[in-house]
Amino acid sequence: MPSRGARGRQKQRVLSKPRYQGPIPRCKGPKLSPFRDRKAAIEFVRLLSDPELEGQAYVFEVSIASKPYALKVFKFYDDAEDDFCLGPWDRDKVSLDLLHAHMDPFYNECRAYGRLIEKGLNGDVAVRCHGYITLPPERETELVQRFGVSELDRPWHVGERQVLRAIVKDLVREDVPLTHKVVKKMFSDLKRMRAEGVYNMDVRARNYKGGMLLDLSIAITTPHYLFEINAHWRVTNYKLQDLLQFDQMIKDEKIATWVRARPNKAYLAKLRPRPTDRGSDYSSSCAW
């Protein structure tokens, strides 16, 4: 068993130089391919996201080859906190490269969309993704000057010449009210993603538009090291998060619907099947 002194003298971990060519990230599991026309000119039209809200990225309306898209430009990922949380034995199992591939919000979204594309769900359970691109560091100056974007969370070890990473998606222009019908489809989408090993982890109204999920930047997609190094009860808690968040969203937004991700015991008691009753359709809306 390592002594306390040995634990304090942990070997410095080194991250491989990132390569943004072909499907990424370069680890076991789903991957996202590059945007089909990486050399096309990109014209930034307007900032769509709220610069005052904390988040993992800025979203812009852009024009690529005269077609409108939403471009999600990601902030830089600092691994210090996630790496610190790993115990000495876990650090032997989880390389710094794997930590980035599974925890960097950019790679989180790449892996989640990679799985949705594999399963034919792209554009169905979440807004359609067209792949990833990189932007030369010179474009950062343009974003700062035109849109006031300056907080890219660049860690000290990331050079000023590091490229910006982005994901190209459909542009959703029209929003819709969160009615019972819309929320029912949103929950169906959530269940379909979970069935394919994609756990949203950030279900809230602002991450939807037009009834479509926009954000997968903190999603957990299997295989994931957090599911491998943690106890079963903790993994179960991870997998319950998006269900609990879905129900909290229903409450916070005061949506008039019976749809719930977790069973409401008081409500279910009223729907308990009688000898002449086959039960309620409510049970089909539950996650189990």
Side-chain angles (χ1 to χ4, degrees):
M1 180 176 179
S3 66
R4 291 186 179 181
R7 291 183 189 181
R9 297 191 300 271
Q10 290 176 340
K11 182 173 65 175
Q12 183 177 4
R13 286 150 65 81
V14 178
L15 179 68
S16 300
K17 183 178 180 179
R19 292 184 300 148
Y20 303 111
Q21 295 178 341
I24 58 173
R26 290 177 173 81
C27 66
K28 181 180 178 182
K31 300 168 177 57
L32 183 64
S33 295
F35 182 65
R36 65 182 181 276
D37 191 359
R38 301 181 72 181
K39 295 183 179 181
I42 301 175
E43 177 188 352
F44 284 84
V45 179
R46 61 188 177 113
L47 178 65
L48 298 175
S49 55
D50 186 345
E52 300 301 321
L53 290 177
E54 290 188 7
Q56 294 78 32
Y58 294 105
V59 183
F60 299 87
E61 178 182 343
V62 299
S63 177
I64 306 178
S66 300
K67 290 188 61 176
Y69 293 98
L71 186 67
K72 187 171 185 177
V73 180
F74 285 79
K75 298 178 182 179
F76 293 94
Y77 169 64
D78 188 344
D79 59 38
E81 183 175 348
D82 291 326
D83 192 31
F84 178 80
C85 290
L86 290 172
W89 293 274
D90 294 333
R91 288 165 68 92
D92 291 337
K93 301 174 185 176
V94 182
S95 68
L96 206 53
D97 288 343
L98 183 62
L99 180 74
H100 275 247
H102 284 193
M103 298 300 283
D104 183 333
F106 170 67
Y107 287 135
N108 286 346
E109 197 143 303
C110 286
R111 298 184 76 235
Y113 268 114
R115 176 62 51 76
L116 298 185
I117 292 170
E118 282 178 5
K119 301 301 181 179
L121 297 176
N122 188 27
D124 188 1
V125 299
V127 65
R128 182 172 298 278
C129 172
H130 298 277
Y132 76 89
I133 61 171
T134 58
L135 301 173
E138 294 78 13
R139 300 302 299 259
E140 183 176 349
T141 303
E142 176 189 352
L143 301 184
V144 171
Q145 293 178 347
R146 289 187 57 194
F147 306 105
V149 173
S150 58
E151 298 299 326
L152 291 177
D153 297 342
R154 189 188 298 272
W156 66 268
H157 57 81
V158 175
E160 292 298 323
R161 305 300 293 176
Q162 181 76 19
V163 298
L164 305 182
R165 308 162 306 163
I167 290 179
V168 184
K169 305 181 186 182
D170 277 355
L171 178 64
V172 181
R173 296 187 183 276
E174 301 296 330
D175 205 356
V176 296
L178 293 180
T179 62
H180 167 74
K181 182 178 179 180
V182 172
V183 168
K184 189 176 180 181
K185 168 68 164 56
M186 288 164 56
F187 182 51
S188 173
D189 294 343
L190 181 65
K191 289 193 295 182
R192 292 170 71 190
M193 285 192 293
R194 289 169 54 84
E196 301 298 348
V198 180
Y199 299 88
N200 186 329
M201 307 300 288
D202 193 22
V203 178
R204 61 183 76 192
R206 77 183 190 198
N207 289 337
Y208 288 85
K209 189 171 184 180
M212 295 292 289
L213 177 63
L214 304 176
D215 186 8
L216 285 164
S217 57
I218 64 172
I220 292 179
T221 302
T222 57
H224 198 286
Y225 79 81
L226 286 176
F227 289 177
E228 297 171 3
I229 69 172
N230 283 294
H232 176 74
W233 67 267
R234 189 178 294 276
V235 173
T236 299
N237 283 346
Y238 283 135
K239 292 182 177 181
L240 285 175
Q241 287 305 305
D242 53 8
L243 300 179
L244 297 173
Q245 292 168 350
F246 184 90
D247 285 349
Q248 188 63 45
M249 177 184 69
I250 297 291
K251 180 179 179 181
D252 292 343
E253 300 298 319
K254 298 180 174 59
I255 303 169
T257 180
W258 46 256
V259 175
R260 295 292 185 277
R262 300 294 308 279
N264 181 320
K265 294 181 179 180
Y267 183 62
L268 286 178
K270 300 177 183 179
L271 301 176
R272 187 170 298 147
R274 302 178 181 86
T276 58
D277 186 1
R278 294 185 179 181
S280 168
D281 288 341
Y282 176 84
S283 60
S284 66
S285 73
C286 300
W288 27 72

